[in-house]
Amino acid sequence: MTETGYFTEENSAEVVTSRNADAKDARLAEVMDSVVRHLHAAVKEIEPTQEEWFEAIRFLTEVGHMCNDWRQEFILLSDVTGVSMLVDAINNRKPTGASESTVLGPFHVPDAPELPMGSDICLDQKGDPMLVKGRILDASGAPINAVKIDVWQANDEGFYDVQQKGLQPDFNLRGVFRTGPDGSYHFKGVKPKFYPIPDDGPVGQMLTRLGRHPYRPAHLHYILEADGFETLITHIFDPDDPYIHSDAVFGVKKSLLAKFDLIDDPARIAAAGFDRPYYEVVHDFVLAPET
Ligand code: BEZ
Ligand code: FE
């Protein structure tokens, strides 16, 4: 070791990263060098006491202990710190005009049933009825045939079926639809409501101490898949939701705001097959070509 290789407060990051010079995994070394540089810079800025550093380690330990097959507290930590949305943005740079992506979230179920176009995904008839419709288009405005549309949403109380097993029917408010040559889609559901991200763990406690709420504004989730196009993972949001400007996970984008119009005209109610006023949401998506 040279005289300059001793660890000091000033050269701490360089001493650590220089140890990775013989790394067998170049990408790992690149990632760890960057993490170490930024972590050391943060520690130098924060100047934590020994107690504060132990508190940080206790917090991360609790985040780990909170994780199981159904609960991923580290993903929630990534969500509320904006990292999930940043990784999403970096990996989904879309050409102008293409619909934008947002976070997948933890409540997608891969084997939801494929349903005839127009089906009602609300299996328990709770809440305000809603009709959602639109078209899936390419960048030139032409309809896309055979798009697999996977949709899921929380119920009128803000819970997904998987959070209320036994209370909601299995696969409530989920469905897979496939477009025909005209690229159009429509299905029935229930007007969604804002809901808190799971906040009974260390991430929820952190939000409380930061004076932040855990709520996500009302939204519908979509995954759109079609041959020759980039898969789009996204939501549409209710612009009138009280949390539209303060989503706990930063998932809202202007282009993802849809209008939830209350339809109370009896003729339209009857034509849509409802027995009471309903909300109508019209939203088109534009898929980017596969690169
Ligand atoms: C969701 O929208 O389902 C979601 C996204 C991030 C964290 C929790 C829930
Ligand atoms: Fe959601």
Side-chain angles (χ1 to χ4, degrees):
M1 181 162 37
T2 63
E3 204 48 29
T4 52
Y6 287 107
F7 187 102
T8 67
E9 187 176 328
E10 290 70 34
N11 70 5
S12 64
E14 292 73 44
V15 170
V16 176
T17 55
S18 67
R19 288 282 174 91
N20 301 335
D22 297 329
K24 289 171 188 56
D25 183 330
R27 177 65 173 161
L28 177 64
E30 184 187 4
V31 169
M32 287 312 298
D33 286 359
S34 174
V35 168
V36 165
R37 275 197 309 275
H38 287 90
L39 190 57
H40 283 229
V43 171
K44 286 172 188 181
E45 184 180 314
I46 297 163
E47 298 195 335
T49 62
Q50 296 283 5
E51 289 72 25
E52 284 173 328
W53 184 236
F54 187 74
E55 171 66 15
I57 288 171
R58 190 202 56 74
F59 170 76
L60 290 174
T61 305
E62 242 189 274
V63 170
H65 284 166
M66 199 72 198
C67 294
N68 56 38
D69 284 352
W70 310 275
R71 175 73 176 257
Q72 234 305 348
E73 195 76 359
F74 277 110
I75 295 185
L76 283 184
L77 182 57
S78 152
D79 293 341
V80 303
T81 51
V83 176
S84 301
M85 277 304 288
L86 183 56
V87 173
D88 181 71
I90 289 166
N91 285 278
N92 290 285
R93 295 180 183 126
K94 304 276 184 206
T96 312
S99 295
E100 294 186 285
S101 62
T102 189
V103 280
L104 174 66
F107 298 121
H108 178 245
V109 168
D111 50 353
E114 182 149 351
L115 302 170
M117 191 63 82
S119 297
D120 192 346
I121 59 173
C122 181
L123 306 181
D124 59 7
Q125 309 311 316
K126 277 180 72 238
D128 295 325
M130 174 182 71
L131 173 66
V132 188
K133 59 185 186 179
R135 291 171 310 152
I136 319 291
L137 307 168
D138 69 14
S140 74
I144 308 178
N145 184 29
V147 183
K148 181 183 173 203
I149 306 176
D150 189 343
V151 293
W152 67 106
Q153 64 159 115
N155 71 2
D156 62 315
E157 293 173 16
F159 292 105
Y160 289 89
D161 58 347
V162 290
Q163 295 175 289
Q164 291 191 313
K165 281 199 177 291
L167 268 179
Q168 290 190 43
D170 287 348
F171 298 117
N172 193 31
L173 295 166
R174 307 177 178 272
V176 173
F177 300 94
R178 219 167 275 271
T179 61
D182 70 352
S184 73
Y185 75 91
H186 62 287
F187 64 92
K188 291 174 180 165
V190 67
K191 186 170 190 277
K193 193 182 169 201
F194 59 82
Y195 65 80
I197 62 168
D199 65 342
D200 56 345
V203 170
Q205 286 160 16
M206 182 188 78
L207 291 182
T208 303
R209 287 178 64 183
L210 289 172
R212 280 173 61 178
H213 68 71
Y215 291 99
R216 300 215 62 209
H219 57 271
L220 306 172
H221 290 261
Y222 286 80
I223 300 178
L224 303 180
E225 286 175 81
D227 285 347
F229 295 88
E230 297 273 322
T231 294
L232 176 66
I233 299 176
T234 196
H235 310 353
I236 53 176
F237 291 92
D238 177 359
D240 298 322
D241 188 278
Y243 297 104
I244 198 68
H245 298 299
S246 63
D247 182 3
V249 306
F250 308 98
V252 180
K253 294 176 179 176
K254 197 169 177 209
S255 67
L256 304 181
L257 302 181
K259 273 190 84 207
F260 288 63
D261 280 327
L262 181 62
I263 308 296
D264 54 10
D265 168 19
R268 287 183 66 187
I269 293 172
F274 290 117
D275 59 4
R276 54 204 150 114
Y278 69 98
Y279 286 88
E280 187 167 283
V281 183
V282 182
H283 197 82
D284 293 344
F285 294 92
V286 177
L287 298 188
E290 202 163 46
T291 46

